[in-house]
Amino acid sequence: MKVLLIGGCGFIGSHVADRLLADGLQVRVYDRRPELFRTPLPGVEYVMGDLADTAQIYEAMSGVDAIIHLVSTTVPSTSNLDPEADITGNLVATVRLLEMMRAAGVRKMIYLSSGGTVYGIPRTDPVAETHPLQPISSYGIVKVAIENYLHMEHHLHGLQHVVLRASNPYGPRQGHTGIQGIIGTHLWRIAKGEQVEVWGDGSIVRDFIHVRDLADLCLAALNSDASGCYNAGYGEGASVNDVVRGIDRTVQATGGAPVVPIYKPGRSFDVPRVVLDITRARTDLGWSPKITLDEGIAESWDWVREQIGNHTH
Amino acid sequence: MKVLLIGGCGFIGSHVADRLLADGLQVRVYDRRPELFRTPLPGVEYVMGDLADTAQIYEAMSGVDAIIHLVSTTVPSTSNLDPEADITGNLVATVRLLEMMRAAGVRKMIYLSSGGTVYGIPRTDPVAETHPLQPISSYGIVKVAIENYLHMEHHLHGLQHVVLRASNPYGPRQGHTGIQGIIGTHLWRIAKGEQVEVWGDGSIVRDFIHVRDLADLCLAALNSDASGCYNAGYGEGASVNDVVRGIDRTVQATGGAPVVPIYKPGRSFDVPRVVLDITRARTDLGWSPKITLDEGIAESWDWVREQIGNHTH
């Protein structure tokens, strides 16, 4: 099977590429720029281009059997500042992608949606896929609309589609710009001798999934005949304070100083608790997450220190 | 109270304008063109412009207390041909409208959504507002996304919003272009001596609401402090064949020939049955529909014949 991996040079995409290669699949990566932390992978065909560049992307899908679409041009925390850019950059671009796939005869798509935003403020704990979709950020609204266009394409034109509603992925190669998730952000700050910042009192609870578990799920979705939406989380919650304590244990175990965060005001778009019910993915796709939060934090810390070491030597 | 009525010269808008005026409200209408079947209404301030014309619409909302937004640039049957135009013309334009309302301090909106498309293929009969939203047309997907931006604006910035998920409105002043609904289309064809066309076998069931009942509901929403989604239907179903039989009775009672439809192939986007549960609107807004389908058809037929008479004399 030949797969076009859109966003294959990003944090999640780089792990999905690893997983597909390990499984013997042919991988063509489409992204705006090379990987930040690694040189190009042997055996991978790279095409550089933007999600909005229809001619380039249409050419890139030539001869592929499936597309994994991991790109978002926005992040939850800033999507509300310019909803129009969010709609144009993600919704319109993906609707065009679906039309091109129909024209090119590519009839399978794995799409990375967002378990942390599509449900809005959860009314159940954990949250199953049947929970009402009431997003309160532009990011979540656009994800829901894209999911709906995928369902429509399935219903009217037979696209096989798996929507993965990811919770909070973390792990090696997570960036340090402060928008990709707190674990990476915290670890990078500590490694650079900066203080960790927590929005609110640290009581908000999230479902942190290791990026390799998420990559495994992408492969399981690719190998399955299923169509529909799947929560993609670890299935258990950890508070922001739990994460800080876990990081503190890891850092001190490697000889670092105690981690003492600065607490800053909470953000209006942060919902108090989101933990995903992953029963459907376990049952339909025969997948389960394997890496505990403590293991994942320890591994991520090793990776961050290695990066810092590479840069200072 | 002063109300900006966007789409106030259309079929539904003209009846809402009548209802607001009868209630003593100040009405400013914003539309692309004047009413098709009437001269301008005394006491109404008309501003001509497009939904996409932000400068014009921002000026039009000066001094108003609430906005009723009835415009759609697309219809369900053709929205899938160009989803991008649907997204740009309706979703982006409405998101801009919400931003302008925030800037202008207009904190109330009544929005006309679509009970016939937002739910997709109904799993319950009748369909309540809590039914999952799984639209299978671009029209329905865009309506859901707009509803979500309204909820977000309510949640984050205190907009008071009432979403009316209308079923199939009909009544006097319904156009004859064949896209506004079967009752108007059929009556105009009969009045012009043409044969009535039915897509499929006529067994599909819809919920037909008289446009004055819908206008009453708009006023009730305007006078209420409620925020949220409300089904706006008659609450009972009628098949396409029921409608043809009702029209046939009406037409023959006025001396016309029996109505014999031509049956044409069904359309993939037509769901078999949609009847709305209107309990929430009855309870929260103190509203109920009053005009039966037979009464409404008879009145519409009188109106169509009058129009034909006006044009031929």
Side-chain angles (χ1 to χ4, degrees):
Chain A
M1 181 165 25
K2 185 161 188 169
V3 179
L4 179 65
L5 185 53
I6 302 178
C9 290
F11 161 51
I12 298 168
S14 70
H15 287 276
V16 174
D18 288 348
R19 193 69 193 83
L20 301 185
L21 289 173
D23 209 57
L25 301 182
Q26 289 180 271
V27 179
R28 184 182 291 153
V29 161
Y30 188 88
D31 211 322
R32 286 186 302 170
R33 52 177 177 236
E35 283 195 36
L36 265 180
F37 301 108
R38 300 192 303 182
T39 52
L41 302 174
V44 170
E45 187 184 343
Y46 290 92
V47 180
M48 293 294 118
D50 198 277
L51 185 60
D53 184 343
T54 47
Q56 181 82 330
I57 215 165
Y58 188 71
E59 206 175 301
M61 72 175 66
S62 163
V64 308
D65 305 293
I67 291 182
I68 301 180
H69 174 8
L70 305 173
V71 164
S72 173
T73 65
T74 53
V75 293
S77 55
T78 57
S79 63
N80 289 356
L81 299 177
D82 190 353
E84 192 176 330
D86 195 17
I87 294 167
T88 307
N90 295 299
L91 181 57
V92 171
T94 304
V95 164
R96 282 187 191 152
L97 181 63
L98 291 174
E99 288 171 351
M100 287 187 282
M101 287 175 69
R102 202 190 312 151
V106 183
R107 297 285 73 197
K108 177 150 192 167
M109 181 185 250
I110 317 294
Y111 176 68
L112 189 71
S113 182
S114 163
T117 64
V118 297
Y119 301 112
I121 300 168
R123 300 174 191 174
T124 59
D125 183 26
V127 186
E129 292 86 349
T130 50
H131 185 285
L133 303 176
Q134 301 188 315
I136 54 169
S137 66
S138 180
Y139 187 86
I141 294 171
V142 165
K143 288 288 188 191
V144 169
I146 291 173
E147 288 190 4
N148 282 332
Y149 276 107
L150 284 164
H151 298 320
M152 181 175 110
E153 191 68 17
H154 169 70
H155 183 79
L156 298 180
H157 304 290
L159 177 74
Q160 195 201 331
H161 70 305
V162 177
V163 169
L164 298 178
R165 292 178 177 159
S167 57
N168 293 62
Y170 74 98
R173 307 203 281 275
Q174 190 168 32
H176 45 72
T177 57
I179 57 168
Q180 271 195 355
I182 63 165
I183 295 179
T185 305
H186 288 351
L187 294 177
W188 277 100
R189 290 186 75 96
I190 294 165
K192 291 190 273 185
E194 295 166 9
Q195 200 170 1
V196 163
E197 292 179 346
V198 169
W199 303 95
D201 63 4
S203 65
I204 68 168
V205 171
R206 293 293 179 269
D207 177 326
F208 295 93
I209 181 173
H210 193 283
V211 66
R212 278 204 308 280
D213 280 332
L214 183 55
D216 281 351
L217 182 54
C218 281
L219 181 67
L222 206 57
N223 288 333
S224 154
D225 291 331
S227 259
C229 290
Y230 292 89
N231 280 340
Y234 188 64
E236 289 178 24
S239 74
V240 169
N241 286 329
D242 289 337
V243 167
V244 170
R245 281 190 289 268
I247 289 175
D248 180 53
R249 280 193 300 273
T250 294
V251 169
Q252 292 207 49
T254 57
V259 174
V260 183
I262 309 172
Y263 288 87
K264 308 188 81 174
R267 304 179 299 184
S268 62
F269 52 83
D270 277 329
V271 302
R273 181 182 173 93
V274 189
V275 180
L276 301 182
D277 180 337
I278 55 173
T279 308
R280 190 186 281 182
R282 284 180 189 274
T283 308
D284 288 11
L285 304 176
W287 162 90
S288 59
K290 294 183 174 52
I291 306 169
T292 66
L293 187 57
D294 282 342
E295 289 166 358
I297 287 176
E299 183 200 2
S300 303
W301 177 233
D302 288 344
W303 176 80
V304 167
R305 285 193 304 156
E306 193 182 298
Q307 297 304 306
I308 295 277
N310 288 346
H311 282 270
T312 53
H313 294 312
Chain B
M1 182 167 22
K2 185 161 189 169
V3 179
L4 178 65
L5 185 54
I6 302 178
C9 291
F11 161 51
I12 298 167
S14 71
H15 288 274
V16 174
D18 287 351
R19 192 70 193 83
L20 301 184
L21 290 172
D23 209 58
L25 301 182
Q26 289 180 270
V27 179
R28 183 182 292 154
V29 160
Y30 187 88
D31 211 323
R32 286 186 302 170
R33 52 178 177 235
E35 283 196 35
L36 265 180
F37 301 108
R38 302 191 302 184
T39 53
L41 302 174
V44 170
E45 188 185 342
Y46 291 92
V47 179
M48 294 294 119
D50 198 278
L51 184 61
D53 185 343
T54 46
Q56 181 81 329
I57 214 165
Y58 188 71
E59 206 175 302
M61 70 175 67
S62 163
V64 308
D65 304 293
I67 292 182
I68 301 180
H69 174 9
L70 305 173
V71 163
S72 173
T73 65
T74 54
V75 293
S77 55
T78 57
S79 62
N80 288 356
L81 299 178
D82 190 354
E84 191 176 332
D86 196 17
I87 293 166
T88 308
N90 295 298
L91 180 57
V92 171
T94 303
V95 164
R96 283 187 191 151
L97 182 63
L98 290 174
E99 288 171 351
M100 287 187 281
M101 287 175 69
R102 201 188 312 151
V106 183
R107 297 283 73 198
K108 177 152 193 166
M109 181 185 250
I110 317 293
Y111 176 68
L112 189 71
S113 183
S114 162
T117 65
V118 295
Y119 301 112
I121 300 168
R123 299 174 193 175
T124 60
D125 184 26
V127 186
E129 290 86 351
T130 49
H131 186 285
L133 303 177
Q134 303 189 314
I136 53 169
S137 65
S138 180
Y139 187 87
I141 293 172
V142 165
K143 288 287 189 192
V144 168
I146 291 173
E147 288 190 2
N148 282 332
Y149 277 107
L150 284 164
H151 297 319
M152 180 175 111
E153 191 68 18
H154 169 72
H155 182 79
L156 298 180
H157 304 289
L159 177 75
Q160 194 200 333
H161 71 305
V162 177
V163 169
L164 298 177
R165 292 178 178 160
S167 58
N168 294 63
Y170 74 99
R173 305 204 282 276
Q174 191 168 31
H176 45 70
T177 56
I179 55 167
Q180 272 196 353
I182 63 164
I183 295 179
T185 305
H186 288 351
L187 294 176
W188 277 100
R189 289 187 75 96
I190 294 164
K192 292 191 271 183
E194 296 165 9
Q195 200 169 0
V196 163
E197 292 179 346
V198 169
W199 303 94
D201 64 3
S203 65
I204 68 167
V205 170
R206 293 291 179 271
D207 177 326
F208 296 92
I209 181 172
H210 193 284
V211 65
R212 279 205 307 281
D213 281 330
L214 182 56
D216 281 352
L217 181 55
C218 281
L219 180 67
L222 205 57
N223 288 332
S224 155
D225 290 331
S227 258
C229 290
Y230 292 90
N231 280 340
Y234 188 64
E236 291 178 21
S239 73
V240 169
N241 286 328
D242 289 338
V243 167
V244 170
R245 280 190 290 268
I247 290 175
D248 179 54
R249 281 193 301 274
T250 294
V251 169
Q252 292 206 50
T254 58
V259 174
V260 183
I262 307 172
Y263 288 88
K264 309 187 82 175
R267 303 178 300 185
S268 62
F269 52 83
D270 278 329
V271 302
R273 181 183 173 93
V274 189
V275 179
L276 302 182
D277 181 338
I278 55 172
T279 308
R280 191 186 281 182
R282 285 180 188 273
T283 308
D284 288 11
L285 304 176
W287 161 89
S288 59
K290 295 184 174 50
I291 307 169
T292 67
L293 187 58
D294 281 344
E295 289 166 1
I297 287 175
E299 184 201 4
S300 304
W301 177 234
D302 287 346
W303 176 81
V304 168
R305 285 192 303 156
E306 193 182 294
Q307 296 305 306
I308 295 277
N310 288 346
H311 283 270
T312 53
H313 294 314

